[in-house]
Each structure stands twice: as C-alpha cells, then as structure tokens.
Amino acid sequence: MLDIPSSVSVDVEALMAAQNHMGVCDAIEQYAPVGKPDTMTAPHFPKVAGIDSTVPPPAHTVAPASPEPAPPSSPGAPGAPGALIQDRLAGWVSDLTTLHELTERLARTAFMNDALHEVLRAGAALVGARRGLVVLEPADGLGPETTVGLGLARADLGHIETVPRGATSYGRILDRTDGTGEPEVHADLLSEDGLDPRHREVAARLGYAASFALPLATDAAGRLGAAVWLYDEPAEPVERQRHLVGLYTRYATEHLARLLELERARTKSRTIAEELLPPRLPRVAGVQLAARHRTGPRGGGDWYDALPLPEGALGLTVGSVTGSGASAVAAMGRLRASLRAYAVMEGEDPVAVLSDLELLLRLTEPARSATALFAYCEPALRKIVLAGAGHSPPLVIGERRTEFVETSLSAPLGMLACWEAPSVEFSPEPGETVLIYTDGLLHRTGDPMDRAFARLHAAAAGVPRTIRNDPGAIADHVLHTVLPDGLDAADSDEDVVLLAARFE
C-alpha cells in the first residue's frame, strides 16, 4: 500500500484532470508521491452493451486483500485521498500493461493483412465491441486499398459497402480534408434522426445498433484509413476506453505505415519479376506448353522460358538465382536474356549453352550462384537433349510410366572454376508430358528432399486420365497436390516454377 502521511493534501480533481489532459506517465510522475504500493488492483474493462472485454487482466496483478475497517478520519478510509490515489495509479498501471501487450502483438506482425486483423481484434477488446471493419485507403492514392472485417463475412462487408459512402462512419472520416479529427460516434443508430435509409436497413439486417469509428492517421504517416467497431446494442465507449484506443491506434498507424512501404516494395518486385518472364508461350507444332509461376513476397530469381529455334526445334529452360529481392530479380533477368542468346547460337548443344552461362555468371555476378536446366527439343522426332547445373531432374508423366529422368550430377553454376557436365538424351512417348520445375516446389512442402520428391512423384502418378491431354491441367493438379492447404498461393521466400510440355 502507498505510504502517505496523514498530513499530505492531494487535489483529487487536479489528479483526474491530469489523466484526461496529460499523458499517463506524466501524470504519474507529477502526482504520485514517493513510495511503491505492495499490491495493485487491475480491474477488467467495464462491460459495454452486454459484451465483456477479451483482454485479460495482467498476470502479475492480484486481487486486493480486504482492508481492515479504518476510522473515518484515517487516510486509509474508502474516501480518503490516499485510497483514491492508489486506485487511480493501479488503474493506470493496468492500462499501460494492457497497451504494452497489445502493441507487442501488433509489432510481431510482418504483413499488412495480419496487422489489420490484429488492429481490429485489439480495438474491439479496448472499446468492448464484438465486430468491426477497417478500411485501408491511403491518402496518396498509391494503394493498396482493401477492407478487412472482424466477425463479418465477405457478404456482410458487401452489404455495408452498398451504403452511400457519405452516410458511413468510415466514409465521413476518409472524405475529410486531412483524414484526422474527432471520432465518429453513433450510440443508437436505429433511433438516430437523419440516418440514411439504406444504412438503417443494413444495420438492422446485420444486427448492429451502434458504432464507434476512428481515423488511422498521424502527422508523420498521413491518413491510411479508418477503423469502425460495431455494437450489438445501443452503446458507446466511455472516456477511459476512448483514451486507450486512441493511444493504440496512433501506434498502430505508424506500424501500418511501415508495413505499407514494405507491401508496395514487394508488389513492385513481384511485378518486375512477372514482366521479365515470357508474357505468353510459343506455339510449336508437335508440342503443347503450359507454365505456372508463383513469386514470393520479396520477389525471387526463378525463371522459365520456351524459345522457338531453327529447323522447328524448341528450347526449354528453367532456373533459379540465389537470393531474393530486387537484386535477385535483376540478376535473373540478365541471365535469362543471356541464355536466350546462347540458345539461338548453340542450342543443339545444351552443355555449351550452360557453359557459356556459367562463364558469364562468374564474370558479372561473382557473388551469386544459380541452378539451371536447358533442354533442346525436336518435337517432330520426340527427341530431347538436356543438361542441368545443380537442378532437379525432369519428370515424365504418361499412361504407362511416371518417372524421373536420369541426369548427370552437377554443381550449380558459379560454384566451380569451370562448369561442364555431360548431357543426356531421351525420347518421350506420344501423349507423354515432360515436367520441369524449380526447387521451390520441393522446398515449399517443408519436407526433407527425399520425401518431397516422393510427394511430387505420387502427385504426378495420380493425375486423372481425363486431364492427361492438357498440360495446364496437369501442372495445376501437381501444384495443388504437392502444396495442399493453399501453400501454392501462400507467401513464402521460395518461388515456384513449373513448365509442362506434352508431346503429340
């Protein structure tokens, strides 16, 4: 308990005013007397609209022991200044602990979508709501723009978006000149005069009766969007809750601004990587082609290419440059362009093509290595000659066999003083599909390489007969079977490339 002499005089009204007009820490420093309480209380957030807060009290706090009855004139009496100060300080410490826990959880998010969901959950706990939505709409107009809901399905968000923008809380916030200012509070929507009829209809349909909205904006970050929390019954947050959620959203806005810059950089890297790859595959008699490409969030150095060559031949290649980000994407573009030139000049000798590429890599990218596979195909003869540098073997998928092509072992490009490995030759049967791919397909499984290869083989062997004539459908089946549960589309540091060629 606070050790406060009975002669100490405390202005309680000034202390309460300090909470509202000063920072919590500043008020504690100015008004707290010397001494440290032995125990503190940390009450739950008050129940609002029949909803209990989901934020638990700090683990280190304990319920206060029942004090001995004190004489009315004693400083420990319920109405004495010492007891008021103790309760006030205990509440401040509880609030600061809660904010610390919530901001720590937010700081651990690394992607915009995860951060937006965390902001909604934390804000709902602070204001005592159950549902909400956040609208991301940066004021600079560079995007991305999105709407994320808490306790609201995509159809529910669609209903809310049918309300005229000017009639919604988030719309009024976003349409302000600076995107900042006071929150939008509607304590009883259904009985509010002048409420837009469509807004009233949607609120009744979705079952919310009140809303509280805050701008996601600071002077440094500018306006990023708005957050709205919805109550099932007429209600509004009390002053303490407004203060806490205001502090939280200011921190959250700065965090979202940093993630926004990262998201834009990742998008640019992915766009550049996609633009460096073939916009379409060539049409060559005797063979059908299909490709599938998944780029990691930071942009990687995986590529594929299909190049028509003289005398009706076709060059097929896939490869991967070490690293990620803009530098890896740029290196991938340079190597792919160089490989196309070497393929035109000496494509019938895949070993010579990769040898030239290895020399170029050592001279121009000495800090990098790369894996690559190049195949010289003669569709009319159903003949393929290929060479690989540290690359996984192709997979032949047919009615009577599903097997990996036996290739010679070789180190990746840039790992040896002079790269050269013998090529191999094989002939696919009519109707068989040759699948070449990058190692990202195997690494995204999270399995050891032997199990990943077994999973790939099983997926290829299980291709339904009804789609064996379509190389695109085969590639999709393999991709979704090897990487189930959305791993084919999930953010990952590994790029994935599949190139399928079905020979007629």
Side-chain angles (χ1 to χ4, degrees):
M1 305 296 289
L2 287 175
D3 183 14
I4 301 178
S6 59
S7 59
V8 174
S9 176
V10 178
D11 188 345
V12 177
E13 294 299 325
L15 184 60
M16 295 175 67
Q19 180 190 16
N20 296 329
H21 302 291
M22 300 177 57
V24 172
C25 295
D26 293 338
I28 291 175
E29 181 178 354
Q30 178 168 341
Y31 288 94
V34 178
K36 182 172 64 175
D38 295 328
T39 61
M40 295 185 181
T41 60
H44 290 281
F45 288 112
K47 186 175 182 181
V48 179
I51 301 169
D52 288 319
S53 170
T54 59
V55 179
H60 64 274
T61 61
V62 297
S66 298
E68 292 293 333
S73 60
S74 170
L84 292 175
I85 292 176
Q86 177 186 347
D87 290 343
R88 182 72 66 181
L89 291 177
W92 284 345
V93 171
S94 173
D95 293 345
L96 289 173
T97 302
T98 299
L99 284 176
H100 176 71
E101 293 171 353
L102 294 177
T103 53
E104 271 198 336
R105 288 213 300 258
L106 179 63
R108 287 194 289 268
T109 59
F111 296 96
M112 180 63 72
N113 192 62
D114 296 338
L116 293 177
H117 280 95
E118 181 58 36
V119 169
L120 281 176
R121 286 191 293 267
L126 290 173
V127 302
R130 186 173 63 88
R131 293 179 291 174
L133 68 151
V134 60
V135 179
L136 184 68
E137 189 177 300
D140 58 13
L142 300 179
E145 297 183 3
T146 186
T147 301
V148 174
L150 172 69
L152 297 171
R154 175 53 58 182
D156 298 333
L157 295 176
H159 286 305
I160 293 175
E161 290 173 352
T162 64
V163 179
R165 181 183 175 95
T168 62
S169 299
Y170 67 84
R172 284 190 289 269
I173 289 176
L174 296 177
D175 291 341
R176 292 171 186 168
T177 303
D178 57 357
T180 60
E182 295 298 319
E184 287 279 338
V185 184
H186 298 274
D188 192 350
L189 276 170
L190 300 182
S191 63
E192 186 175 297
D193 294 335
L195 185 67
D196 183 88
R198 179 57 183 167
H199 195 177
R200 189 185 307 276
E201 179 185 347
V202 169
R205 179 169 186 170
L206 299 184
Y208 64 88
S211 67
F212 176 74
L214 279 175
L216 297 176
T218 63
D219 293 337
R223 191 211 71 199
L224 300 185
V228 185
W229 290 278
L230 306 175
Y231 296 94
D232 295 344
E233 302 172 7
E236 64 178 293
V238 298
E239 184 63 29
R240 171 170 166 264
Q241 291 173 314
R242 294 191 191 191
H243 179 66
L244 289 176
V245 76
L247 292 174
Y248 178 81
T249 53
R250 283 197 289 274
Y251 172 84
T253 300
E254 298 293 340
H255 182 70
L256 292 175
R258 293 188 289 270
L259 292 182
L260 181 64
E261 293 300 319
L262 289 175
E263 185 72 18
R264 289 174 174 176
R266 290 165 178 161
T267 300
K268 290 177 181 178
S269 294
R270 285 195 295 265
T271 301
I272 293 173
E274 294 290 344
E275 291 296 326
L276 288 173
L277 297 174
R280 63 184 63 87
L281 296 173
R283 294 184 178 181
V284 178
V287 64
Q288 295 175 280
L289 300 175
R292 298 293 182 265
H293 182 221
R294 300 290 186 269
T295 304
R298 291 182 293 177
D302 285 20
W303 81 80
Y304 68 91
D305 206 350
L307 180 65
L309 297 175
E311 300 179 0
L314 176 68
L316 300 177
T317 178
V318 297
S320 177
V321 177
T322 56
S324 60
S327 61
V329 172
M332 175 270 286
R334 290 190 291 268
L335 285 183
R336 174 179 168 269
S338 301
L339 190 147
R340 289 173 67 92
Y342 299 146
V344 170
M345 293 186 293
E346 45 194 5
E348 67 281 356
D349 185 358
V351 171
V353 172
L354 293 187
S355 296
D356 292 343
L357 192 66
E358 196 276 338
L359 178 61
L360 177 72
L361 184 67
R362 276 195 294 117
L363 294 177
T364 62
E365 308 279 349
R368 294 189 184 276
S369 63
T371 63
L373 184 146
F374 180 77
Y376 179 79
C377 308
E378 297 180 80
L381 302 177
R382 293 194 305 279
K383 174 184 174 183
I384 299 178
V385 181
L386 65 86
H391 210 80
S392 300
L395 184 61
V396 179
I397 305 171
E399 294 286 346
R400 299 177 181 176
R401 62 172 176 168
T402 300
E403 61 186 24
F404 292 102
V405 177
E406 294 186 6
T407 58
S408 57
L409 295 176
S410 169
L413 302 175
M415 299 291 288
L416 302 175
C418 180
W419 179 90
E420 185 169 337
S423 60
V424 296
E425 179 179 326
F426 69 99
S427 298
E429 298 295 328
E432 289 187 333
T433 298
V434 177
L435 186 69
I436 56 179
Y437 50 92
T438 57
D439 290 344
L441 176 65
L442 306 173
H443 293 158
R444 277 203 186 194
T445 65
D447 292 338
M449 291 302 287
D450 57 341
R451 293 183 61 184
F453 274 116
R455 178 183 290 192
L456 174 59
H457 185 275
V463 173
R465 292 179 179 272
T466 55
I467 66 171
R468 287 183 180 268
N469 293 333
D470 183 353
I474 292 175
D476 288 334
H477 173 84
V478 170
L479 184 64
H480 298 152
T481 305
V482 175
L483 301 176
D485 303 324
L487 288 174
D488 60 311
D491 288 328
S492 170
D493 291 339
E494 297 287 347
D495 285 9
V496 175
V497 164
L498 289 88
L499 182 58
R502 180 182 179 276
F503 290 84
E504 299 174 353

